[in-house]
Amino acid sequence: MSARSSMRGPETYGYLPWIVHRVSALALVPLLTVHIGVQLYPDYGFATLTEWGIYGPLLDLTLALVLVHAFLGIRGTVIETRLSDRSTKFVVWGTGIGLFLLFVTRLLA
């Protein structure tokens, strides 16, 4: 078995989850930059986002993307471990439901 065949790729996980996982990672870079800027550097113009009411929705979007990225990462790891189909479905569904409940709890709080 070559090292290349054991690497994560879209043929192992499905193309749509693979693309969403990569896009969520790229989208998190500017969102986390904004979050850090608002928290640590409000005097450099980042406080404007809070004043305009943009920061709250951006924070919710950041949390949603972090949870999607985490879910797809855990899903990929579980698929790589080659557990039984039943165990894989249990872990993926359990993780998905748990992360969804976490997000709903944040929105309702």
Side-chain angles (χ1 to χ4, degrees), residues 1 3-4 19 25-26 30 32 35-36 43-44 48-49 54-55 57 63 72 76-77 80-81 85 87 91 99 103 105:
M1 178 193 289
R4 196 162 215 18
I19 290 170
L26 291 173
L32 290 173
H35 176 64
I36 291 169
D43 297 335
Y44 294 100
T48 309
L49 297 171
I54 298 171
Y55 181 63
L63 177 63
L72 291 172
T77 302
E80 274 186 352
T81 59
D85 287 342
S87 297
V91 171
L99 292 176
F103 183 67
T105 303

Side-chain angles (χ1 to χ4, degrees), residues 4 30 46 51 87 96 107:
R4 196 162 215 18
F46 285 101
E51 294 167 5
S87 297
L107 289 181

Side-chain angles (χ1 to χ4, degrees), residues 1 7 20-23 32 39 43-44 49 60 62-63 65-66 75 86 89-90 92 107:
M1 178 193 289
M7 293 175 55
V20 171
H21 193 228
R22 285 353 184 232
V23 169
L32 290 173
Q39 296 299 316
D43 297 335
Y44 294 100
L49 297 171
D60 292 338
T62 303
L63 177 63
L65 284 175
V66 164
R75 178 184 173 269
R86 185 175 183 197
K89 285 181 183 179
F90 177 75
V92 169
L107 289 181

